[in-house]
Amino acid sequence: MISPRFLDPALTLTRTDADDFEFVLCEDGARTWGEYAVAVNNWKKAFAAAGVSSAALFFSNLFDLSSCLFGAWAAGVRAILPADTTQTVCRQLNTLAEAAAGDFPADLTIRRITPFHEADPCRDALDPSGRLVSLFTSGSTGEPSLITKRLSQLFCEVPAIEVRRPDAEDVELPQDTVIFSTVPPQHIYGLLFSILWPAASLRPIWHKRILYPEELAARMRTVPHSLWIASPAHLKRLPEDIDWSSLKNMLRVIYTSGGPLSDDALRRTIALTGLAPVEIFGSSESGGIAWRTRALAEDGSIINESFRALPGIEWKMENSLLVIKSKQLSSDGWESTSDRIAVNADGSFTLLGRADRIVKIEEKRVSLTAVEKTLLGTGLIASC
């Protein structure tokens, strides 16, 4: 069910009735929606005054990242979101972006932009047709590359998150549910779930990514209700010495994406938290494609293995591969993935693995071809 406070992401900034809402929670207090709207406007003015068309953004604080991101979009500036700020990435950004804002080292030599300090809020409607966001992905070759998307390709995914999933009627998600994330917001999954969805649905967020489960559990105990944006890497390492049972009825939903959740990680998560994660299948290029929530039978076997398409996704099988069509894609036609599937009689599909030589290790794409080339390049190996 769509929350009455939910707005089309393109209209997020136009709301004027929520300025006192505590939007970003911090250790020492909260930042309100009104403060957020002012911060967005100060970034918008800074980008407009700089006269640039693209800028690299990197912040650890989600209030700063979100306000800078929306400020860039309001100014018509394309935001480039690097996965990190290593020397290699900074060298790329020096040629890809005209300017930068945020927590970058000296390796980044391009112009730096800082926000204005005025008191007026931004109430702009965004143009969803603009090609205003670029993210890094390893693509199909394993070589990092930049993909650019229209805002509409991102925004069309957000209502599906608010609805959550077709069987979610029994999962109450109060308006004061705080969104905690252990995934980076520079990835499309983190961007959608920890920045765009909270802004559109007016749900409070914790101000930074949390890396350690001990801190996560402790922070969740300080709020009435919580939701966890997770990844398989975190779920399979849940410590047993944390009192997860104390979060019963407080932790409402766990999402996971970025790679397959193993059977052992699923069993571990259910045993410790009492919740079966909502597993999202997709990629940076395609966006979210399908979802599933698996369960355990009485004998401990796993059931509900199949995936169902998310709202707005059309799919079919050709040559044993999954082929999709949606507004999230760069084209209006059908596009083939490299995922092998089996079609089920109930309209769902089962993933059978990749057809290319890309594997996912800890939610990171690794090209087996690139690994082989690197090994051969050492001169220590004749063939592999």
Side-chain angles (χ1 to χ4, degrees):
M1 178 181 295
I2 292 286
S3 163
R5 305 196 81 168
F6 182 87
L7 280 183
D8 180 322
L11 303 178
T12 292
L13 297 171
T14 66
R15 57 164 48 100
T16 59
D17 59 347
D19 282 355
D20 294 330
F21 176 78
E22 294 185 342
F23 180 45
V24 180
L25 306 184
C26 313
E27 289 91 348
D28 57 353
R31 306 291 297 275
T32 66
W33 182 262
E35 291 177 282
Y36 175 77
V38 169
V40 170
N41 203 42
N42 280 322
W43 279 113
K44 173 192 171 182
K45 289 187 174 183
F47 282 117
V52 297
S53 62
S54 65
L57 314 182
F58 192 93
F59 296 85
S60 58
N61 184 292
L62 294 187
F63 181 92
D64 294 333
L65 176 58
S66 183
S67 59
C68 184
L69 181 65
F70 274 81
W73 289 344
V77 172
R78 177 168 60 93
I80 301 174
L81 303 179
D84 54 53
T85 59
T86 60
Q87 287 185 342
T88 300
V89 170
C90 285
R91 282 197 297 268
Q92 287 182 287
L93 294 175
N94 283 329
T95 61
L96 292 172
E98 296 177 34
D103 310 323
F104 286 101
D107 301 89
L108 196 65
T109 58
I110 55 179
R111 179 180 182 181
R112 304 299 179 97
I113 295 179
T114 56
F116 280 26
H117 297 281
E118 300 180 4
D120 298 324
C122 180
R123 305 297 188 189
D124 296 356
L126 301 178
D127 178 7
S129 67
R131 291 172 56 82
L132 295 181
V133 61
S134 296
L135 305 103
F136 284 88
T137 175
S138 57
S140 59
T141 65
E143 293 294 330
S145 59
L146 199 67
I147 58 171
T148 299
K149 290 177 175 283
R150 298 185 302 275
L151 293 186
S152 60
Q153 291 174 264
L154 293 177
F155 291 170
C156 68
E157 293 199 60
V158 180
I161 302 173
E162 178 65 12
V163 175
R164 293 192 302 288
R165 60 186 197 273
D167 69 340
E169 287 79 6
D170 62 336
V171 180
E172 181 187 2
L173 197 61
Q175 190 68 42
D176 62 355
T177 300
V178 179
I179 297 172
F180 292 88
S181 178
T182 52
V183 302
Q186 290 83 10
H187 185 276
I188 191 170
Y189 168 48
L191 174 63
L192 285 166
F193 280 74
S194 63
I195 291 184
L196 299 187
W197 175 43
S201 62
L202 208 62
R203 296 187 185 280
I205 59 176
W206 188 249
H207 71 105
K208 64 179 180 179
R209 175 191 181 193
I210 296 179
L211 296 178
Y212 302 105
E214 295 82 2
E215 181 185 358
L216 177 70
R219 295 298 181 192
M220 285 181 173
R221 294 189 191 101
T222 66
V223 299
H225 309 99
S226 59
L227 179 148
W228 182 10
I229 309 303
S231 69
H234 283 90
L235 295 178
K236 79 176 187 180
R237 293 178 173 85
L238 288 183
E240 294 182 3
D241 58 354
I242 293 177
D243 183 15
W244 295 102
S245 63
S246 64
L247 296 175
K248 187 177 181 181
N249 299 324
M250 298 167 65
L251 177 56
R252 314 298 294 189
V253 182
I254 300 174
Y255 282 99
T256 181
S257 189
L261 183 68
S262 69
D263 292 351
D264 287 344
L266 174 68
R267 291 191 176 95
R268 186 180 190 85
T269 303
I270 293 175
L272 293 177
T273 70
L275 295 175
V278 180
E279 300 174 55
I280 306 296
F281 164 62
S283 70
S284 299
E285 296 87 349
S286 67
I289 296 174
W291 67 275
R292 70 180 179 185
T293 302
R294 293 182 285 174
L296 297 180
E298 291 185 3
D299 63 359
S301 61
I302 296 175
I303 55 178
N304 303 332
E305 293 274 11
S306 301
F307 281 90
R308 295 189 177 276
L310 289 164
I313 303 294
E314 298 180 62
W315 68 275
K316 60 184 178 180
M317 183 178 71
E318 289 184 356
N319 300 318
S320 299
L321 297 179
L322 175 66
V323 181
I324 60 173
K325 182 179 181 181
S326 79
K327 294 180 180 179
Q328 298 159 200
L329 298 173
S330 57
S331 69
D332 295 328
W334 291 91
E335 292 191 14
S336 179
T337 71
S338 295
D339 298 287
R340 296 183 296 110
I341 64 169
V343 179
N344 305 314
D346 62 358
S348 63
F349 63 85
T350 302
L351 287 174
L352 301 179
R354 296 282 293 182
D356 58 18
R357 305 199 70 223
I358 299 293
V359 296
K360 279 288 188 77
I361 300 176
E362 300 292 334
E363 291 78 70
K364 303 296 183 183
R365 296 190 200 186
V366 177
S367 166
L368 299 183
T369 301
V371 171
E372 291 175 355
K373 288 180 179 179
T374 300
L375 291 173
L376 292 173
T378 66
L380 302 175
I381 296 175
S383 64
C384 59

